[in-house]
């Protein structure tokens, strides 16, 4: 008797399990994604409250509002390049329809950047996309202070002002290239920058010999630069701090 009950339970339950798995597989199969990154050419940083919105839209009907197929909102946006992934249902994609990606960056609901050129895609076969946005915000809107905007002059290192006539500089480009002049030699490196954090590495320099005090000052400067973990920009000043949030270098905007 117990054998028959077990047989009923096993074979009666099996179709239910198979049906559940089939339903689950069908659910996953209905989802498709299109991904990529958004960037712009202006060398300014986005404020912390910037928001990126990217939409996959059907633009087939001329003169009619685009129909949204899928959307992602990245809040906060962070800094460019900003990556996105839009999930959509492939069943809604029509063979003869036209589709495009639309992207915009807003700050306090004010548009700063949009794609001003149609970015057409085939949603079902599109490789990763790269969208370059155009700045549209009003010129009177103050730009967010940026670490990229100046060649910075070092005022002090760990509270000690530079001695003599040393003019120590620091600059970082939007693509992460670090360069400048130490108390004796030119130097270079790379930087990973994101939302107020900065990690400087691969530091090297030229090999010119100078007075011992300048060489010691340069050694200390490069060592402190390598410990930098965060930065703040404002009122023409750049402040670098370490992983413990202790200020380790103060710089002023130069030319």
């Amino acid at each position: 008797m117990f054998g028959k009950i077990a047989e009923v339970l096993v074979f009666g339950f099996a179709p239910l399990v198979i049906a559940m798995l089939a339903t689950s597989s069908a659910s996953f199969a209905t989802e498709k994604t299109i991904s990529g990154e958004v960037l712009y050419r202006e060398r300014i940083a986005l404020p912390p409250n910037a928001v990126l919105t990217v939409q996959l839209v059907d633009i087939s009907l001329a003169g009619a509002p685009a129909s949204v197929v899928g959307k992602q909102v990245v809040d906060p946006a962070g800094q460019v390049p900003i990556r996105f992934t839009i999930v959509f249902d492939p069943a809604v994609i029509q063979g003869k329809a036209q589709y495009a990606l639309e992207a915009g960056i807003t700050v306090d609901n004010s548009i700063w950047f949009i794609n001003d050129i149609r970015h057409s895609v085939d949603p079902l076969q599109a490789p990763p996309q790269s969208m370059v946005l155009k700045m549209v915000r009003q010129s009177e809107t103050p730009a967010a202070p940026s670490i990229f905007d100046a060649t910075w002059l070092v005022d002090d290192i760990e509270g000690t002002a530079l001695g003599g006539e040393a003019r120590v500089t620091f600059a970082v480009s939007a693509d992460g290239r670090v360069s400048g002049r130490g108390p004796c030699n030119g130097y270079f490196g790379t930087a990973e920058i994101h939302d107020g954090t900065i990690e400087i590495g691969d530091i090297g320099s030229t090999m010119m010999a100078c007075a011992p005090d300048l060489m010691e000052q340069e050694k200390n400067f490069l060592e402190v630069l390598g410990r930098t973990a965060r930065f703040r920009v404002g009122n023409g000043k750049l402040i670098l701090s370490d992983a413990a949030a202790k200020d380790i270098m103060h710089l002023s905007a130069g030319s």
Side-chain angles (χ1 to χ4, degrees):
M1 178 177 178
F2 288 108
K4 291 183 179 180
I5 293 175
E7 182 179 348
V8 170
L9 288 176
V10 170
F11 289 99
F13 184 64
L16 177 60
V17 173
I18 294 171
M20 290 175 63
L21 291 174
T23 302
S24 177
S25 299
S27 175
F28 283 115
T30 60
E31 288 190 351
K32 194 167 180 64
T33 62
I34 183 169
S35 62
E37 64 179 13
V38 167
L39 59 155
Y40 51 79
R41 292 189 174 90
E42 288 75 14
R43 295 178 62 179
I44 64 172
L46 292 172
N49 57 333
V51 177
L52 168 68
T53 301
V54 187
Q55 298 184 141
L56 172 62
V57 296
D58 183 340
I59 55 172
S60 302
L61 297 178
S67 173
V68 178
V69 176
K71 179 172 75 171
Q72 185 188 18
V73 177
V74 183
D75 183 7
Q79 303 298 329
V80 294
I82 310 167
R83 291 174 176 80
F84 66 87
T85 299
I86 297 174
V87 179
F88 65 95
D89 181 359
V92 305
I93 303 300
Q94 304 295 320
K96 295 183 179 181
Q98 296 181 349
Y99 298 91
L101 289 174
E102 295 180 348
I105 297 174
T106 59
V107 177
D108 293 331
N109 296 317
S110 175
I111 297 176
W112 278 35
F113 295 89
I114 61 171
N115 61 301
D116 60 331
I117 300 175
R118 177 180 293 181
H119 194 97
S120 298
V121 292
D122 178 349
L124 300 180
Q125 301 185 40
Q129 303 292 302
S130 182
M131 302 182 68
V132 180
L133 306 189
K134 178 181 179 181
M135 186 169 68
V136 295
R137 65 184 175 86
Q138 299 298 315
S139 59
E140 60 266 21
T141 302
S146 172
I147 192 174
F148 307 121
D149 286 344
T151 295
W152 301 95
L153 305 179
V154 178
D155 296 326
D156 68 71
I157 301 173
E158 296 188 302
T160 301
L162 296 181
E165 298 182 357
R167 186 178 187 272
V168 180
T169 65
F170 170 79
V172 57
S173 63
D175 61 359
R177 288 180 291 116
V178 171
S179 61
R181 185 80 191 176
C184 180
N185 289 278
Y187 69 92
F188 50 87
T190 60
E192 291 287 339
I193 299 174
H194 181 71
D195 289 342
T197 65
I198 179 170
E199 181 179 351
I200 301 173
D202 300 324
I203 300 175
S205 70
T206 57
M207 302 296 290
M208 185 173 67
C210 295
D213 59 330
L214 290 180
M215 297 297 290
E216 184 62 28
Q217 194 176 71
E218 184 164 278
K219 177 182 177 183
N220 181 52
F221 165 68
L222 295 178
E223 186 273 329
V224 171
L225 202 62
R227 288 195 282 115
T228 300
R230 300 193 64 83
F231 70 92
R232 308 190 304 276
V233 181
N235 299 319
K237 298 290 185 179
L238 169 63
I239 301 173
L240 304 180
S241 56
D242 61 17
K246 177 185 176 182
D247 293 347
I248 55 177
M249 196 178 301
H250 292 80
L251 307 92
S252 299
S255 57

